[in-house]
Amino acid sequence: MSEFLNALIIPRQRRRHVQAELERLTPGVLYMGQLDRTPFDLSRLEWAERREGVFVRWTQSILDLSAPRILSGRLNCPVLLAYLCDEAFWGCALFYKGSPVDHFRTAPGLLHDGFTDSAPPERRAAWLAQYFPAGREDLLPYLVPWTPEELAGAGDPVSPQDAHPRGDGWQLSDFLSTLAPWTRDMLTSDQLTTTPAAPAPDRSSPKSNAPDRQRQPEAAPGPEACLPFLAGVKVLRPKPSFPLSLFSKSRPVPEAVPHDGWTRQELSDILDQFCSGALDRLELDFTVYSEGTYVRRLGKAFRRSYRLTLVLIREAGRCMCLLLDDQESALHRLIADRDTYMTVDSKDLEKTTFHGQTVNQYVVFPQPCPAAIRPEVDYLLARLDRRDDVLSPTRRMGVWSGDVPMTNTEAAKRQHQENRQIWCFE
């Protein structure tokens, strides 16, 4: 597993604001097809604050592009993530107001994560010069990918002041010094401060010592929390082998599975069947309720019920995970390729055909049984009544992609019903 030395540079911001937003991050990072739920540990962060901005440094085993993107959106400012991978090569990703601007690597193919780079160095230097006190001509030599000869040790320093040549991963330190001179030597400095630990409780306080006031933290909900809302289960088993399936042209008929009295075990079993390949399709139907409207004249609160459907589909060795929400006429898809979703412009996204529909390729898992689906499904089912936080593109950026209309008009509702006809057994 690779090790990344990360550095965040946030110009014209204060540490207290940056730290407050990092503390709000929700675990959930999709990296190389695997969903990593490791919390963003602030105790590992090392800080430097200057008049020009904030510098944050930490080490991590995955490349997390969601944290700087979310941070740039919440602070409404540019954020640069610079990283050194295994001391072999370096890269940087620029975000502005929650949107990716650019992502560069000195050795694009070494990480084998599907990263591609097509932006010319001149344009990349211009983007960085908009937000940092450096000239485009000074930045340009750093933003050209290394040649095989340079990777083999035949590189030269970009300028006489640089301590590291091209082909040396620690050239990142020279690049940052050129980009933002106030960060000079911070990548290796031992003078950075750590995040202070949370203060210990005051044991002399009667409130904290009183037994009736001491509460154990509540356990996180499990997927069985969805069972009170469960209204139907449909499955589709693999098609019969040749020659029975050769002449079948009609749409396959789903099998309804009785679910009365289900416990966590039965729910886990049906999900395991899909994840193991025993089912080609699984649909879980739920009935959820709105918050309700109180009618003063009648002295009652009225709530509307809405249908919610989780769909797992396997087709030709590939998978998709969808959630259809009638309350907002929304269609959410679990993201399979987070790097593409985060970095590629919408007009350049590749398309593919799945279930007879043309969809963005980043929502189709290329494996028949991807490991990332099950933990994310469990996480969603445990929080159906708070699904907005789970599906939020801001709180959990790069996990779910949603088609959500601005207003739930009649036209939006009709389009949503058409989506149901396409993706669900109706």
Side-chain angles (χ1 to χ4, degrees):
M1 182 175 289
S2 299
E3 182 175 81
F4 294 89
L5 174 62
N6 302 281
L8 282 182
I9 302 177
I10 309 101
R12 296 178 293 279
Q13 290 290 335
R14 299 276 65 87
R15 172 177 170 173
R16 65 179 183 276
H17 299 145
V18 175
Q19 183 171 331
E21 296 301 338
L22 290 177
E23 289 173 349
R24 294 175 52 202
L25 291 179
T26 304
V29 176
L30 197 62
Y31 177 65
M32 289 195 174
Q34 304 293 323
L35 190 65
D36 188 285
R37 294 191 177 281
T38 306
F40 197 85
D41 186 2
L42 267 72
S43 65
R44 296 182 290 114
L45 304 186
E46 298 175 292
W47 301 77
E49 184 177 22
R50 300 291 185 269
R51 179 170 54 84
E52 295 86 353
V54 178
F55 182 93
V56 191
R57 184 181 68 190
W58 77 101
T59 302
Q60 196 170 6
S61 60
I62 65 171
L63 180 59
D64 182 0
L65 296 176
S66 64
R69 181 174 180 176
I70 295 172
L71 190 62
S72 73
R74 291 179 176 173
L75 294 176
N76 204 32
C77 73
V79 173
L80 180 77
L81 170 69
Y83 55 89
L84 173 62
C85 179
D86 294 332
E87 301 188 12
F89 68 92
W90 63 269
C92 61
L94 177 65
F95 303 90
Y96 182 65
K97 294 185 177 181
S99 298
V101 178
D102 183 42
H103 189 179
F104 167 71
R105 285 183 190 166
T106 52
L110 285 188
L111 200 54
H112 305 294
D113 61 348
F115 174 81
T116 57
D117 182 15
S118 59
E122 294 80 7
R123 184 188 306 171
R124 178 167 287 128
W127 284 329
L128 289 170
Q130 290 183 42
Y131 307 113
F132 295 93
R136 288 183 291 179
E137 294 76 11
D138 297 327
L139 296 174
L140 188 60
Y142 296 98
L143 301 175
V144 179
W146 295 338
T147 65
E149 293 75 18
E150 290 170 335
L151 279 169
D156 296 318
V158 167
S159 73
Q161 293 78 26
D162 285 0
H164 307 281
R166 289 173 55 82
D168 183 347
W170 287 102
Q171 187 203 30
L172 175 59
S173 180
D174 299 324
F175 167 71
L176 294 181
S177 296
T178 303
L179 178 72
W182 58 274
T183 67
R184 183 176 301 277
D185 298 329
M186 286 185 182
L187 196 64
T188 57
S189 173
D190 59 359
Q191 301 300 313
L192 275 63
T193 61
T194 58
T195 305
D202 183 4
R203 298 303 180 186
S204 64
S205 169
K207 291 185 178 181
S208 62
N209 286 328
D212 61 337
R213 294 180 183 269
Q214 294 180 353
R215 294 184 180 179
Q216 296 296 326
E218 294 183 4
E224 69 277 7
C226 75
L227 293 175
F229 308 105
L230 187 61
V233 180
K234 297 177 184 177
V235 300
L236 184 66
R237 304 190 185 277
K239 296 179 181 178
S241 59
F242 178 86
L244 294 179
S245 62
L246 181 63
F247 307 101
S248 178
K249 301 293 184 181
S250 60
R251 188 175 185 181
V253 178
E255 173 188 339
V257 178
H259 61 278
D260 289 341
W262 266 22
T263 64
R264 176 174 184 152
Q265 185 61 52
E266 287 79 14
L267 178 63
S268 180
D269 288 345
I270 200 74
L271 291 171
D272 286 343
Q273 288 184 51
F274 178 83
C275 293
S276 66
L279 301 176
D280 276 350
R281 189 182 183 117
L282 171 62
E283 290 187 15
L284 300 178
D285 257 321
F286 302 93
T287 301
V288 295
Y289 297 90
S290 63
E291 292 184 357
T293 303
Y294 182 76
V295 180
R296 185 175 182 180
R297 179 175 56 87
L298 300 176
K300 294 181 180 180
F302 292 88
R303 298 193 302 167
R304 289 192 60 182
S305 63
Y306 295 95
R307 186 180 176 191
L308 198 68
T309 306
L310 178 68
V311 185
L312 301 173
I313 306 176
R314 180 180 297 105
E315 179 181 275
R318 302 181 299 164
C319 272
M320 274 189 70
C321 175
L322 310 96
L323 182 74
L324 293 99
D325 188 344
D326 285 10
Q327 185 171 5
E328 296 182 333
S329 297
L331 172 60
H332 301 273
R333 298 178 177 91
L334 185 63
I335 294 172
D337 185 352
R338 178 179 168 275
D339 188 63
T340 296
Y341 171 78
M342 297 283 284
T343 61
V344 177
D345 192 276
S346 58
K347 67 177 182 298
D348 298 325
L349 290 171
E350 294 185 12
K351 303 290 185 179
T352 188
T353 301
F354 189 90
H355 197 59
Q357 303 298 310
T358 300
V359 298
N360 288 320
Q361 190 165 310
Y362 67 75
V363 298
V364 179
F365 289 86
Q367 310 93 351
C369 302
I373 286 184
R374 179 59 190 274
E376 182 59 32
V377 166
D378 285 348
Y379 190 75
L380 172 65
L381 294 180
R383 296 159 176 81
L384 275 186
D385 54 341
R386 293 172 286 156
R387 59 191 180 277
D388 288 347
D389 287 339
V390 178
L391 303 169
S392 170
T394 302
R395 295 185 181 93
R396 304 183 71 233
M397 191 169 291
V399 181
W400 289 88
S401 172
D403 296 331
V404 185
M406 295 293 292
T407 55
N408 199 8
T409 61
E410 290 302 319
K413 293 177 181 178
R414 287 194 298 270
Q415 179 61 53
H416 184 67
Q417 291 307 312
E418 292 178 10
N419 288 334
R420 280 198 167 276
Q421 294 291 333
I422 293 170
W423 297 106
C424 301
F425 284 122
E426 296 294 322

